[in-house]
């Protein structure tokens, strides 16, 4: 895993930057922190042995999703008190709460999508959470770009309906 991470570290930073650049997380989770969390998650999971580059990025995307969602859950717990005494809310904190709720809502909808069609779920994970392009997603899933585009449209329609937008 160390050798793989050394080879793809820059690419993972680009993916993490894309994910965090969407404004779905607080500024306390940095690109570097997200990539390092992915490394720790994958390094401690000895059962993960990527077959090829595409499989590695699929596994990394899953780990990135889990980390971002776990981070949002922790932020949500803080929002609900988390053992901290109450304080006045300001506009900035309200914005963070909305981002936390958005990440958790997307994760819940994505879990429902995965139950219906696992491939659609993987495509959303790769495109949304890892920020892969259509071409990179097709490579990671060993499928055609046309299939990824078609499935991406289906998945977005499902998520839009689930998220009420």
């Amino acid at each position: 895993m160390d050798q793989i991470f050394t080879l793809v570290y820059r690419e993972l930073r680009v993916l993490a930057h894309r994910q965090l650049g969407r404004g779905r997380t607080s500024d306390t989770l940095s690109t570097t922190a997200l990539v390092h969390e992915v490394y720790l998650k994958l390094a401690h999971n000895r059962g993960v042995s990527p077959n090829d580059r595409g499989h590695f990025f699929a596994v990394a995307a899953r780990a990135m999703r889990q980390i971002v969602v776990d981070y949002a859950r922790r932020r949500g717990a803080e929002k609900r008190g988390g053992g901290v005494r109450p304080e006045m809310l300001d506009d900035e904190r309200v914005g963070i709460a909305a981002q936390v709720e958005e990440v958790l809502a997307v994760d819940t909808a994505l879990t429902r999508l995965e139950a219906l069609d696992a491939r659609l779920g993987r495509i959303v994970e790769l495109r949304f959470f890892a920020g892969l392009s259509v071409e990179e997603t097709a490579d990671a899933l060993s499928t055609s770009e046309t299939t990824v585009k078609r499935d991406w449209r289906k998945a977005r329609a499902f998520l839009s309906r689930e998220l009420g937008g």
Side-chain angles (χ1 to χ4, degrees), residues 6-48:
T6 301
L7 294 172
V8 298
Y9 184 79
R10 287 185 187 180
E11 290 175 82
L12 284 174
R13 282 187 53 82
V14 168
L15 297 179
H17 183 72
R18 285 182 198 164
Q19 172 61 32
L20 296 176
R22 292 187 178 119
R24 286 183 214 356
T25 56
S26 167
D27 58 353
T28 59
L29 184 60
S30 70
T31 299
T32 301
L34 181 54
V35 171
H36 290 185
E37 288 289 328
V38 168
Y39 170 78
L40 291 173
K41 190 170 193 71
L42 296 181
H44 285 98
N45 188 354
R46 296 292 178 201
V48 174

Side-chain angles (χ1 to χ4, degrees), residues 23 30 36 41 70 72 103 106 139:
S30 70
H36 290 185
K41 190 170 193 71
D70 288 346
V103 169
V106 168
D139 182 50

Side-chain angles (χ1 to χ4, degrees), residues 49-104:
S49 180
N51 302 329
D52 56 28
R53 178 181 165 78
H55 182 235
F56 172 79
F57 279 105
V59 170
R62 171 68 51 112
M64 202 173 288
R65 170 188 173 194
Q66 292 168 346
I67 291 163
V68 169
V69 169
D70 288 346
Y71 180 82
R73 285 188 180 124
R74 282 193 305 275
R75 296 295 295 192
E78 290 173 14
K79 179 190 85 171
R80 290 184 301 275
V84 179
R85 59 188 168 89
E87 60 184 71
M88 296 299 293
L89 291 177
D90 58 23
D91 290 340
E92 183 176 313
R93 288 187 184 261
V94 171
I96 290 171
Q99 292 169 4
V100 166
E101 290 171 10
E102 178 185 341
V103 169
L104 295 178

Side-chain angles (χ1 to χ4, degrees), residues 59-158:
V59 170
R62 171 68 51 112
M64 202 173 288
R65 170 188 173 194
Q66 292 168 346
I67 291 163
V68 169
V69 169
D70 288 346
Y71 180 82
R73 285 188 180 124
R74 282 193 305 275
R75 296 295 295 192
E78 290 173 14
K79 179 190 85 171
R80 290 184 301 275
V84 179
R85 59 188 168 89
E87 60 184 71
M88 296 299 293
L89 291 177
D90 58 23
D91 290 340
E92 183 176 313
R93 288 187 184 261
V94 171
I96 290 171
Q99 292 169 4
V100 166
E101 290 171 10
E102 178 185 341
V103 169
L104 295 178
V106 168
D107 183 60
T108 300
L110 182 53
T111 300
R112 281 188 232 130
L113 176 63
E114 289 172 327
L116 295 172
D117 189 325
R119 186 175 70 197
L120 293 181
R122 297 297 289 158
I123 287 173
V124 172
E125 206 166 62
L126 293 168
R127 299 272 295 134
F128 182 80
F129 284 95
L132 296 183
S133 68
V134 169
E135 297 80 18
E136 292 165 330
T137 301
D139 182 50
L141 297 177
S142 300
T143 191
S144 71
E145 291 178 26
T146 303
T147 299
V148 170
K149 288 176 186 176
R150 182 184 62 242
D151 286 351
W152 179 234
R153 281 191 303 273
K154 282 195 272 186
R156 285 189 328 200
F158 175 88

